Amino acid sequence: MDSRVRISNRAKLPTKFGVFWIQSFQEHKEGGLPVDHLVVFTQELLEVPLVRVHSECLTGDVFGSQKCDCGGELEMAMRQIGAHEQGGMLIYLRQEGRGIGLFNKINAYALQDQGYDTIEANRAIGFKDDERDYAIVGDILKHYGIAKIQLLTNNPQKIAAIGAYVEVERSSIIVESNCHNKEYLETKKNKMGHLL
């Protein structure tokens, strides 16, 4: 384990999706404050667990925003992980707004209200299309002794990034679109190559 990562004790987490374990992986990046990532996992993790690497989306995950598909994906992932015969885990990364943070994400939302798509909005405020970093995922999977996963994702960039640490089989995670996120999903498909 990287010395820049601290791991909390393991605790039980009863949820509406079942009873899980939870741990926090605290990542210390040079020059910044520590970042706490959460790992929620089933009582047993067998040979090829079902894994969702989910970047924090406060607006979608907590407030049920319909501008994105994040909250729906999180709920679907928890249901599938809880029921998966090989067990599974949700790795909840504190990378709000594809890595730009909550403040900048809200500024990007304001630009989207003016007609920018999600990529154009990020670029207009000085960011890349996607600023996320998945290195901590390698540390987390290594900690649990996981060498192969079924990854719940539609994002080919995430498959490639995590494939540097473990063998990855993709499982799609498609949630129903609505009138508020239809264009957002089209942008993810057409400009970011998401498998939707």
Side-chain angles (χ1 to χ4, degrees):
M1 179 62 61
D2 190 320
S3 63
R4 298 172 302 122
V5 178
R6 292 177 54 210
I7 305 170
S8 75
N9 292 327
R10 178 185 297 199
K12 278 194 176 176
L13 182 69
T15 75
K16 65 182 181 179
F17 309 108
V19 178
F20 296 88
W21 291 105
I22 188 167
Q23 281 186 285
S24 178
F25 284 67
Q26 189 176 72
E27 183 179 22
H28 296 264
K29 292 189 176 183
E30 192 173 316
L33 294 172
V35 179
D36 296 320
H37 306 288
L38 292 175
V39 181
V40 177
F41 52 100
T42 54
Q43 305 286 323
E44 287 190 272
L45 290 170
L46 301 179
E47 206 169 300
V48 187
L50 185 64
V51 174
R52 169 72 181 165
V53 176
H54 188 90
S55 294
E56 177 181 44
C57 176
L58 183 70
T59 52
D61 300 342
V62 175
F63 298 113
S65 169
Q66 294 193 356
K67 280 190 165 190
C68 63
D69 54 346
C70 304
E73 286 182 338
L74 178 61
E75 185 163 328
M76 181 180 285
M78 288 297 292
R79 285 189 196 291
Q80 290 183 18
I81 289 165
H84 196 260
E85 60 199 30
Q86 294 285 312
M89 97 179 10
L90 174 87
I91 300 173
Y92 194 85
L93 300 179
R94 303 295 300 277
Q95 301 190 118
E96 182 75 50
R98 286 198 301 274
I100 67 174
L102 189 57
F103 182 87
N104 293 311
K105 175 183 172 177
I106 302 307
N107 286 333
Y109 268 10
L111 290 173
Q112 290 172 38
D113 290 342
Q114 296 173 32
Y116 288 69
D117 69 32
T118 184
I119 299 299
E120 293 165 345
N122 276 21
R123 290 176 182 171
I125 59 175
F127 293 99
K128 294 185 235 172
D129 300 355
D130 193 334
E131 296 275 349
R132 291 176 290 187
D133 175 9
Y134 296 105
I136 188 70
V137 175
D139 292 327
I140 291 168
L141 295 173
K142 183 177 180 182
H143 173 77
Y144 292 103
I146 296 171
K148 183 176 182 180
I149 63 172
Q150 286 186 40
L151 183 64
L152 277 169
T153 190
N154 303 318
N155 183 348
Q157 292 173 350
K158 189 183 289 185
I159 295 166
I162 296 168
Y165 308 108
V166 294
E167 186 179 340
V168 174
E169 291 178 2
R170 175 185 171 254
S171 290
S172 67
I173 182 163
I174 308 285
V175 296
E176 199 171 315
S177 66
N178 62 61
C179 63
H180 303 286
N181 70 11
K182 191 175 186 326
E183 289 180 19
Y184 169 80
L185 294 172
E186 286 296 321
T187 299
K188 283 173 71 170
K189 179 179 179 181
N190 297 328
K191 288 191 173 182
M192 299 180 77
H194 283 223
L195 306 168
L196 298 171

